[in-house]
Amino acid sequence: MTPHIRLHSADDVVIARTQLLGGSAVEQVTVRGLIPPGHKVAMRAIAPGEPVRRYNQIIGFASRPIAAGEHVHTHNLDMGPNKGDFARDYAFGADVKPAPARREATFMGIRRADGRVATRNYIAVLTSVNCSATAARAIAEHFSRQTNPQALAAFANIDGVVALTHGTGCGMDTQGLGMQILERTLTGYATHPNFAAVLVVGLGCEANQIDRWLAAGHLTEGETLRTFNIQDTGGTRKTIAKGVALIGHMLPQANAVRREPCSAAHITIGLQCGGSDGYSGISANPALGAAVDLLVAHGGTAILSETPEIYGAEHLLTRRAARHEVGQKLVERIKWWEHYTAINQGEMNNNPSPGNKAGGLSTILEKSLGAVAKGGTSNLEAVYEYAEPVTAHGFVYMDTPGYDPVSATGQVAGGANLICFTTGRGSAYGCAPSPALKLATNSALWQRQEEDMDINCGEIVDGKATIVEMGQRIFDLVLATASGAHSKSEQHGYGQNEFVPWQVGAVM
């Protein structure tokens, strides 16, 4: 096994598999200085202003002369004078391919009355506004299996009662984009198949009025959707007592479910990456992409998101757009983000975090090229705005921020009933009501943080598994998890605090 990884014959850099010492040789090039694992080393001399390629794609431009064998990173690589705004060949639909042969697989799902299939069976306590968060958490805490186990002792088929609270709902334009996004998000959660029943608690005077939200979402109260507010109920203590009583009435019906064989076509996966490193685009992301292609062949759906983290790689997706308007909508969302970051005195390259850079990623272009690998090779069937209901099957895109909790919240609101999350640095994350699987990009992370990771994709870097083999393992684990097997994040109790709707616009 070589101490480096070359991803394409035309690349200007290779990736260190292990730490490279100065004076050692890589492809007949003498290494200059220390190259950390996951970082890049130049295979030729690169003049200032020249593009630098990895994956045979531009990941940035030399900001000063780079000698062959030198470490290539933020000290000598940047986005260029135009901040990454260089021409891309969108070639809409150029790589569209015939639909794969249909395959069949099943998992043990929970079939709802409307035909949709759940992977979990929770009761939710949602809030219209931050002001009702404390009461909502107290209601859910009454049913905690850790602190009050007798409350759900007779309801073994219920996965739990979770409070999903947020920091907004007031101080905002009631007709603006921020309110529209919040309404869509809450509607998506209130109707999510993984919730058997939903209780919504408000304050009473907030901008996000419950009655208005119900009308906007075409929702009607009934046995499985109840709403009320603190001011009408008479205060916090009475609110908590009322909420506990209402959920008590919901428990028997929520518990009256059973798992049965269901087609894998009912699985919708939200694709996430967080704490990415130089191995993300080599191991976990392409392995997840292989699993996505398998899911699509089985009739399922996968949602790629995090628009700031596909920037510079969007042309690889537009080439797979099933229709021109699908690719064009993705480009329009990219342009929206360029404008959005500019008016907030930022730029797209603000995205790579210190952890990303420590792991070997230098620019958002490089990070994005690895991130899009999560989407496999299937045709791009549709593009959705944040928290819109995903109705298409196959590989789709949803416009979200790159911040993982915000992004996944939008995906779940859109219908994702499972999350697959790749990480190279060791992100801690879970998601209620949809279970989250964590995929480690390297074996060092797996050994250090195995209690949080579900699969070690570092075996690809180590030469112990292929991308195709790892993709099959991920797909098999998806089926098992959708059938009720608990992910590591579920075992640790992650999920309630990771509900973070995207807050857009002025706080007033």
Side-chain angles (χ1 to χ4, degrees), residues 345-360:
Q345 291 78 53
E347 60 182 70
M348 298 301 283
N349 199 45
N350 293 147
N351 177 277
S353 69
N356 295 151
K357 294 174 181 177

Side-chain angles (χ1 to χ4, degrees), residues 103 264 267 269 271 283-302 373-378 394-395 418 420 422 437 439 455 457 460 466-479:
R103 302 174 65 175
I267 295 176
I269 297 177
L271 309 175
S283 60
N285 288 355
L288 180 53
V292 164
D293 288 342
L294 283 173
L295 179 65
V296 170
H298 285 82
T301 303
K374 300 193 301 294
T377 62
S378 299
F395 173 58
L418 196 142
C420 283
T422 68
L437 294 173
L439 285 58
I455 283 187
C457 296
I460 296 171
T466 67
I467 288 172
V468 172
E469 290 169 344
M470 192 62 67
Q472 183 66 56
R473 285 173 55 183
I474 294 169
F475 181 69
D476 291 343
L477 184 58
V478 163
L479 294 179

Side-chain angles (χ1 to χ4, degrees), residues 125-139 163-174 178-179 182-183 185-187 199-211 213 227-232 236 239 499 501 503 507-508:
V125 186
L126 300 179
T127 56
S128 62
V129 66
N130 176 254
C131 308
S132 55
T134 296
R137 285 194 293 267
I139 293 166
L164 301 180
T165 65
H166 57 93
T168 182
C170 206
M172 59 197 302
D173 180 1
T174 57
M179 183 63 79
L182 178 60
E183 289 176 342
T185 304
L186 290 173
T187 298
L199 176 67
V200 183
V201 182
L203 175 62
C205 59
E206 62 269 26
N208 182 31
Q209 288 286 300
I210 290 178
D211 288 347
W213 163 67
T227 73
F228 69 102
N229 67 61
I230 294 172
Q231 291 170 353
D232 288 344
T236 301
T239 295
F499 175 71
Q503 188 170 354
V507 178
M508 303 171 71

